[in-house]
Amino acid sequence: MPYSYIVKKEIRKTFDHVNNHRWDDAVKAVAPHVHHRVSGAHALAGERHDKEALRRWFERLGRVQPTLHITVNNIWVKGWPWNTTVFVQWDGTATLLDGDAYVNRGLHVFTLRWGRVYALEEFQDSQEAARGLAVQAAAGLKEAVAEPIVS
């Protein structure tokens, strides 16, 4: 089996874990000192530098966007097992607490070493993310406008 096929399969599995709120499984392949960054000025933005902070971030994601579903559209794998870059283009949809639709599109860039995630950067429409979180907060979900989880 080619290396890129295995990586793509594992990445799809990780997005499935996120869609199904299986946080322990989502961070299983994450290195202890991961670098995770999400742009913007909202409760899901900021930088995390360890696996536990990333796990807390995923837990928050599940609480503030409980119906979020991410559809992976394309995955590109570049490199060898000791230094791999993975690009994942996705669409995210959810129903907000006021009944409005949330739609975002983005790109994740993973840095892998021997099957472990050492870095993950998310590029998305940060204004749409902030808007969706503001709607959730207005409907009573105050964590949606909390300070970002950082480490």
Short mmCIF file of all heavy atoms in Angstrom, two decimals, residues 104-131:
data_model
loop_
_atom_site.label_atom_id
_atom_site.label_comp_id
_atom_site.label_asym_id
_atom_site.label_seq_id
_atom_site.Cartn_x
_atom_site.Cartn_y
_atom_site.Cartn_z
N ASN A 104 -19.00 26.92 6.35
CA ASN A 104 -17.64 27.42 6.28
C ASN A 104 -16.83 26.47 5.41
O ASN A 104 -17.18 25.29 5.27
CB ASN A 104 -17.02 27.54 7.68
CG ASN A 104 -15.94 28.59 7.75
OD1 ASN A 104 -15.28 28.90 6.78
ND2 ASN A 104 -15.74 29.13 8.95
N ARG A 105 -15.80 26.99 4.83
CA ARG A 105 -14.91 26.19 3.99
C ARG A 105 -13.49 26.48 4.43
O ARG A 105 -13.17 27.61 4.77
CB ARG A 105 -15.10 26.59 2.53
CG ARG A 105 -14.05 26.01 1.61
CD ARG A 105 -14.40 26.25 0.20
NE ARG A 105 -15.25 25.12 -0.16
CZ ARG A 105 -15.78 24.93 -1.33
NH1 ARG A 105 -15.63 25.80 -2.28
NH2 ARG A 105 -16.50 23.85 -1.57
N GLY A 106 -12.67 25.47 4.41
CA GLY A 106 -11.32 25.72 4.87
C GLY A 106 -10.31 24.70 4.40
O GLY A 106 -10.61 23.79 3.63
N LEU A 107 -9.11 24.92 4.93
CA LEU A 107 -7.98 24.06 4.62
C LEU A 107 -7.20 23.81 5.90
O LEU A 107 -6.90 24.75 6.64
CB LEU A 107 -7.07 24.76 3.60
CG LEU A 107 -5.82 24.00 3.17
CD1 LEU A 107 -6.21 22.93 2.16
CD2 LEU A 107 -4.81 24.95 2.56
N HIS A 108 -6.93 22.56 6.19
CA HIS A 108 -6.05 22.18 7.29
C HIS A 108 -4.70 21.83 6.69
O HIS A 108 -4.62 21.16 5.65
CB HIS A 108 -6.58 20.93 8.01
CG HIS A 108 -7.62 21.17 9.02
ND1 HIS A 108 -8.75 21.91 8.81
CD2 HIS A 108 -7.72 20.72 10.30
CE1 HIS A 108 -9.50 21.91 9.90
NE2 HIS A 108 -8.89 21.19 10.82
N VAL A 109 -3.64 22.23 7.38
CA VAL A 109 -2.29 21.83 6.99
C VAL A 109 -1.69 21.09 8.18
O VAL A 109 -1.51 21.66 9.26
CB VAL A 109 -1.42 23.05 6.61
CG1 VAL A 109 -0.02 22.58 6.22
CG2 VAL A 109 -2.06 23.84 5.48
N PHE A 110 -1.42 19.81 7.98
CA PHE A 110 -0.85 18.95 9.01
C PHE A 110 0.64 18.75 8.73
O PHE A 110 1.03 18.58 7.56
CB PHE A 110 -1.48 17.56 8.97
CG PHE A 110 -2.91 17.47 9.38
CD1 PHE A 110 -3.93 17.74 8.47
CD2 PHE A 110 -3.25 17.06 10.66
CE1 PHE A 110 -5.26 17.63 8.84
CE2 PHE A 110 -4.57 16.95 11.04
CZ PHE A 110 -5.58 17.23 10.12
N THR A 111 1.45 18.72 9.77
CA THR A 111 2.83 18.29 9.67
C THR A 111 2.94 17.00 10.48
O THR A 111 2.65 16.99 11.68
CB THR A 111 3.80 19.34 10.24
OG1 THR A 111 3.62 20.55 9.49
CG2 THR A 111 5.24 18.87 10.13
N LEU A 112 3.32 15.92 9.80
CA LEU A 112 3.43 14.61 10.43
C LEU A 112 4.88 14.16 10.45
O LEU A 112 5.64 14.45 9.52
CB LEU A 112 2.62 13.56 9.66
CG LEU A 112 1.16 13.84 9.35
CD1 LEU A 112 0.58 12.70 8.53
CD2 LEU A 112 0.37 14.03 10.62
N ARG A 113 5.23 13.43 11.51
CA ARG A 113 6.52 12.75 11.58
C ARG A 113 6.25 11.35 12.11
O ARG A 113 5.76 11.21 13.23
CB ARG A 113 7.47 13.50 12.50
CG ARG A 113 7.90 14.82 11.94
CD ARG A 113 8.98 15.48 12.78
NE ARG A 113 9.18 16.84 12.30
CZ ARG A 113 8.84 17.93 12.99
NH1 ARG A 113 8.31 17.84 14.18
NH2 ARG A 113 9.04 19.11 12.47
N TRP A 114 6.53 10.38 11.29
CA TRP A 114 6.34 8.98 11.66
C TRP A 114 4.93 8.73 12.19
O TRP A 114 4.73 8.06 13.20
CB TRP A 114 7.40 8.51 12.65
CG TRP A 114 8.78 8.59 12.10
CD1 TRP A 114 9.76 9.45 12.50
CD2 TRP A 114 9.33 7.83 11.04
NE1 TRP A 114 10.89 9.27 11.75
CE2 TRP A 114 10.65 8.27 10.83
CE3 TRP A 114 8.83 6.82 10.21
CZ2 TRP A 114 11.48 7.73 9.86
CZ3 TRP A 114 9.67 6.28 9.25
CH2 TRP A 114 10.96 6.73 9.08
N GLY A 115 3.93 9.30 11.51
CA GLY A 115 2.53 9.04 11.85
C GLY A 115 1.98 9.89 12.99
O GLY A 115 0.82 9.75 13.34
N ARG A 116 2.78 10.78 13.57
CA ARG A 116 2.33 11.64 14.66
C ARG A 116 2.13 13.05 14.13
O ARG A 116 2.92 13.55 13.34
CB ARG A 116 3.35 11.70 15.80
CG ARG A 116 3.84 10.36 16.29
CD ARG A 116 3.04 9.63 17.26
NE ARG A 116 3.12 10.08 18.64
CZ ARG A 116 2.11 9.88 19.47
NH1 ARG A 116 1.00 9.34 19.05
NH2 ARG A 116 2.23 10.21 20.71
N VAL A 117 1.09 13.72 14.64
CA VAL A 117 0.82 15.10 14.25
C VAL A 117 1.63 16.02 15.14
O VAL A 117 1.44 16.06 16.35
CB VAL A 117 -0.69 15.42 14.38
CG1 VAL A 117 -0.96 16.89 14.03
CG2 VAL A 117 -1.53 14.49 13.52
N TYR A 118 2.54 16.78 14.52
CA TYR A 118 3.37 17.74 15.25
C TYR A 118 2.89 19.17 15.07
O TYR A 118 3.20 20.02 15.90
CB TYR A 118 4.84 17.61 14.81
CG TYR A 118 5.52 16.47 15.51
CD1 TYR A 118 5.38 15.17 15.06
CD2 TYR A 118 6.28 16.70 16.66
CE1 TYR A 118 5.98 14.12 15.72
CE2 TYR A 118 6.88 15.65 17.32
CZ TYR A 118 6.73 14.37 16.85
OH TYR A 118 7.32 13.31 17.52
N ALA A 119 2.15 19.42 14.00
CA ALA A 119 1.61 20.76 13.78
C ALA A 119 0.32 20.64 12.98
O ALA A 119 0.17 19.74 12.15
CB ALA A 119 2.60 21.65 13.04
N LEU A 120 -0.60 21.55 13.29
CA LEU A 120 -1.88 21.61 12.59
C LEU A 120 -2.31 23.07 12.54
O LEU A 120 -2.46 23.71 13.59
CB LEU A 120 -2.93 20.77 13.32
CG LEU A 120 -4.39 20.91 12.88
CD1 LEU A 120 -4.55 20.61 11.40
CD2 LEU A 120 -5.27 20.01 13.72
N GLU A 121 -2.44 23.58 11.33
CA GLU A 121 -2.91 24.95 11.17
C GLU A 121 -4.19 24.91 10.35
O GLU A 121 -4.28 24.21 9.35
CB GLU A 121 -1.87 25.82 10.48
CG GLU A 121 -2.28 27.28 10.46
CD GLU A 121 -1.11 28.23 10.33
OE1 GLU A 121 0.03 27.78 10.18
OE2 GLU A 121 -1.38 29.44 10.38
N GLU A 122 -5.18 25.68 10.83
CA GLU A 122 -6.48 25.72 10.17
C GLU A 122 -6.69 27.07 9.51
O GLU A 122 -6.57 28.10 10.16
CB GLU A 122 -7.60 25.48 11.18
CG GLU A 122 -7.49 24.14 11.87
CD GLU A 122 -8.62 23.87 12.83
OE1 GLU A 122 -9.72 24.45 12.65
OE2 GLU A 122 -8.41 23.11 13.78
N PHE A 123 -6.98 27.05 8.23
CA PHE A 123 -7.30 28.25 7.47
C PHE A 123 -8.78 28.15 7.08
O PHE A 123 -9.18 27.17 6.45
CB PHE A 123 -6.44 28.35 6.21
CG PHE A 123 -4.97 28.41 6.51
CD1 PHE A 123 -4.21 27.26 6.55
CD2 PHE A 123 -4.37 29.63 6.76
CE1 PHE A 123 -2.85 27.31 6.82
CE2 PHE A 123 -3.01 29.70 7.04
CZ PHE A 123 -2.25 28.54 7.07
N GLN A 124 -9.55 29.15 7.48
CA GLN A 124 -10.98 29.13 7.20
C GLN A 124 -11.49 30.56 7.19
O GLN A 124 -10.74 31.50 7.44
CB GLN A 124 -11.73 28.32 8.27
CG GLN A 124 -11.56 28.90 9.67
CD GLN A 124 -12.30 28.12 10.72
OE1 GLN A 124 -13.51 28.02 10.63
NE2 GLN A 124 -11.58 27.56 11.67
N ASP A 125 -12.78 30.74 6.93
CA ASP A 125 -13.40 32.05 6.98
C ASP A 125 -13.61 32.39 8.46
O ASP A 125 -14.60 31.97 9.07
CB ASP A 125 -14.71 32.05 6.22
CG ASP A 125 -15.41 33.39 6.18
OD1 ASP A 125 -15.05 34.28 6.99
OD2 ASP A 125 -16.33 33.55 5.36
N SER A 126 -12.67 33.12 9.04
CA SER A 126 -12.75 33.40 10.48
C SER A 126 -13.91 34.32 10.80
O SER A 126 -14.45 34.27 11.91
CB SER A 126 -11.43 33.99 10.99
OG SER A 126 -11.15 35.21 10.36
N GLN A 127 -14.35 35.15 9.86
CA GLN A 127 -15.52 35.99 10.10
C GLN A 127 -16.78 35.15 10.20
O GLN A 127 -17.65 35.41 11.03
CB GLN A 127 -15.67 37.05 9.01
CG GLN A 127 -14.59 38.11 9.09
CD GLN A 127 -14.74 39.15 8.01
OE1 GLN A 127 -14.98 38.82 6.85
NE2 GLN A 127 -14.61 40.41 8.39
N GLU A 128 -16.89 34.12 9.38
CA GLU A 128 -18.06 33.22 9.47
C GLU A 128 -18.00 32.43 10.76
O GLU A 128 -19.03 32.21 11.41
CB GLU A 128 -18.12 32.28 8.26
CG GLU A 128 -19.24 31.27 8.31
CD GLU A 128 -20.66 31.84 8.35
OE1 GLU A 128 -20.85 33.07 8.24
OE2 GLU A 128 -21.59 31.04 8.53
N ALA A 129 -16.81 32.01 11.17
CA ALA A 129 -16.68 31.30 12.45
C ALA A 129 -17.13 32.20 13.60
O ALA A 129 -17.91 31.77 14.46
CB ALA A 129 -15.24 30.84 12.66
N ALA A 130 -16.67 33.45 13.61
CA ALA A 130 -17.04 34.39 14.66
C ALA A 130 -18.54 34.67 14.64
O ALA A 130 -19.19 34.76 15.68
CB ALA A 130 -16.26 35.69 14.52
N ARG A 131 -19.12 34.81 13.43
CA ARG A 131 -20.56 35.05 13.32
C ARG A 131 -21.36 33.88 13.89
O ARG A 131 -22.28 34.05 14.68
CB ARG A 131 -20.97 35.26 11.85
CG ARG A 131 -22.48 35.57 11.69
CD ARG A 131 -22.97 35.33 10.27
NE ARG A 131 -23.02 33.92 9.90
CZ ARG A 131 -24.01 33.09 10.23
NH1 ARG A 131 -25.03 33.48 10.96
NH2 ARG A 131 -23.97 31.82 9.84
#
